[in-house]
Amino acid sequence: MPCGADMNLFTSLPLSSSVFSEWLDGSVPQHPYFDDNAKIQSIVSNIKHRLMSFAIEACHLVLEEIPCEQPQHNVLSQTLSAKPSLWWAVLLAQRYGVIYFMSRGEAQSTYYQLIRKHAVETDIIDNFLRSNAAGVRIINYAVHAYITRGDLHVEYSTFCVPPNAIAAVGPNHVVVRKGDFINRPSSEVLASHSPMWDLHDFAHLSSATLDETLYGNKYQACLVQLPKRLTALIRSPGMRTATGPKISDGLVFSELLTKMYTDAVADISKNAKQTYKSLCTDLANMLAEYYLAKRGLEHPSTGQTMMLRQPILPIELAVLVQNKSYELPASEIEQRVLTRGGAQATTEDALLPLTARERITWLAKSRNWGYFEVRNTIKHRAHKEAYRIVCEELMTQTTDEFEKALLQKTNANILYKDWKAGHRLILWDELPQM
């Protein structure tokens, strides 16, 4: 499976490139239906339109909190009634956690010209949304309303659903913790000045809507049937303290791969340029050696060097590969849904110091990935590529018939061979249950 484009890291594409039909690193993700640009755009637009209708509802509620005689109140009230799309634009450009909910495509096709035409009003709305965390509060309310009043099929579970998370099963079908939504009044949500949700979950919902069988999670339907020692590989307990499984998805992705990526990019800035493909390949090869117990890797939160005593087992690999079949496509489709930034104090987030109007302008004109977008997606690509390398290595070593068959199925899952043959395998269903 290709790791990425053979194009220098952070290179800008020509202005003639389309953010609706091309992918910013110059490659097309090797996932079924990711070439159906019109369908992806329709899915994302529908989800965000419904979300933002609730956001406008919240805008009215927040605006009612301030006195009518306050400066700019008339402008805010008039634009909210007459130009709600302008409020949409400024809301989407607000910083929410480490995410800006506006994509480059939206900025280029819809909002750039709008905020240029209404520059003064845009700045007034932006100042209002930044004050008293109004923008964050509004998005909090909108997501809560989308789940509770958005005509979705909502199921409830605490298994593999972190607090305040939204697990996407398929079109209009999600799993959440009941206490996060049904038992939490909207007034409480609107009062919260801190981001409550992870907007990346709407990238998962977008990919799950694109194809439920391929990209909709099967945690509650399938993973829950496995022994706890295997589900721990996905739940990732103790990943920050290095006290949990050394091959858990969370520990490897959030700890080991983050350090590997940071070090690799630092080396690139000092030395020769590297391509997306070569960076992905380098990370994948190092990580494959870790899974095969051939090298140690640093766990940055503890400073420990992690080293496996024995190679990953085929059954463990199958558990992890199935999970990556949901995580990687969601990371890829983010480009059509949102823009990923960094922590508050980071210097690599180009959008962080900008106003909403400046952010929309930047997004409309940008033709290259940002540091954190590259980090997230390249880490996922390298993670999956490492699984492929390890799978092929283990296939040459095992003599156990069950393991041989399982590794063949795992390889088929990684390369979508099963889907191309007409039947997508759920690897969790191929494993011994409780």
Side-chain angles (χ1 to χ4, degrees), residues 209-316:
T209 303
L210 182 62
D211 190 274
E212 179 175 357
T213 300
L214 287 167
Y215 310 126
N217 86 64
K218 311 295 187 299
Y219 300 136
Q220 288 71 38
C222 304
L223 181 64
V224 70
Q225 305 299 327
L226 299 181
K228 287 186 177 180
R229 67 179 180 84
L230 294 180
T231 64
L233 300 180
I234 309 305
R235 293 183 286 107
S236 302
M239 68 176 185
R240 299 299 184 195
T241 57
T243 55
K246 293 182 179 180
I247 57 171
S248 76
D249 177 81
L251 184 145
V252 172
F253 183 80
S254 299
E255 291 284 338
L256 307 187
L257 269 168
T258 297
K259 180 67 165 60
M260 292 162 66
Y261 172 89
T262 302
D263 290 348
V265 172
D267 288 342
I268 293 167
S269 64
K270 297 175 184 176
N271 303 305
K273 289 185 177 180
Q274 193 169 30
T275 67
Y276 291 102
K277 184 176 181 179
S278 64
L279 173 59
C280 182
T281 299
D282 288 349
L283 296 180
N285 286 332
M286 287 190 290
L287 187 55
E289 290 182 350
Y290 173 77
Y291 284 123
L292 294 169
K294 295 180 180 179
R295 74 178 296 156
L297 292 172
E298 184 177 342
H299 181 276
S301 290
T302 63
Q304 297 180 30
T305 296
M306 310 289 290
M307 181 86 180
L308 302 184
R309 294 181 179 179
Q310 62 181 22
I312 186 174
L313 300 174
I315 194 170
E316 295 170 330

Side-chain angles (χ1 to χ4, degrees), residues 155 157 159-160 169 175 212-213 216-228 230-231 234 319 322-323 326 424-434:
E155 297 182 46
S157 177
F159 176 76
C160 274
V169 179
V175 181
E212 179 175 357
T213 300
N217 86 64
K218 311 295 187 299
Y219 300 136
Q220 288 71 38
C222 304
L223 181 64
V224 70
Q225 305 299 327
L226 299 181
K228 287 186 177 180
L230 294 180
T231 64
I234 309 305
V319 171
Q322 184 63 48
N323 187 65
Y326 308 133
R424 180 61 164 173
L425 292 171
I426 305 301
L427 294 173
W428 296 333
D429 283 343
E430 305 296 319
L431 304 178
Q433 298 184 353
M434 293 179 178

